[in-house]
Amino acid sequence: MTVTCAIRYVLDPFKREAFETYARNWLTIIPACGGDLIGYFMPHEGTNNIAHALISFESLAGYEAYRIRLRADPAAMANFRYAQEQRCILVEERTWLTPVTK
């Protein structure tokens, strides 16, 4: 069963460019580590400090294998450090979703 991790970010609205750099970095890292990246989404209209990401996996076991590869990936670790140094993410929340089917 496919599962999708929906990540909701609360951003420092004065550090949107730093978050966008962080998000762009994941566009190659996540697929290389085994995640099916649907995308990162920046605020456009309305609220200026909420962003989202959607990443799908074949299963929760697939997600766990992805997490192991992610933690061993130098580019992923550098991107995590970048976000910490920039302090562009104030809150990160994860929700797990499954598709509605007939």
Side-chain angles (χ1 to χ4, degrees), residues 69-79 81:
R69 287 189 295 273
L70 199 67
R71 296 279 178 213
D73 186 272
M77 292 296 94
N79 207 34
R81 282 191 305 276

Side-chain angles (χ1 to χ4, degrees), residues 9 12 23 26-27 48 52 57 62 80 88 100:
Y9 297 96
D12 178 332
W26 288 123
L27 299 181
N48 69 349
H52 296 273
F57 303 91
F80 284 128
C88 55
V100 176

Side-chain angles (χ1 to χ4, degrees), residues 4-78:
T4 300
C5 182
I7 307 171
R8 179 182 181 267
Y9 297 96
V10 178
L11 311 177
D12 178 332
F14 299 103
K15 296 184 178 180
R16 286 175 42 145
E17 285 183 28
F19 179 80
E20 189 167 351
T21 297
Y22 169 80
R24 284 185 194 282
N25 290 340
W26 288 123
L27 299 181
T28 56
I29 297 167
I30 290 171
C33 290
D36 180 13
L37 179 63
I38 296 167
Y40 270 81
F41 303 88
M42 294 291 295
H44 179 69
E45 291 286 332
T47 303
N48 69 349
N49 68 333
I50 303 297
H52 296 273
L54 296 170
I55 310 164
S56 288
F57 303 91
E58 292 179 9
S59 64
L60 285 176
Y63 169 71
E64 291 301 328
Y66 159 83
R67 297 265 305 166
I68 291 168
R69 287 189 295 273
L70 199 67
R71 296 279 178 213
D73 186 272
M77 292 296 94

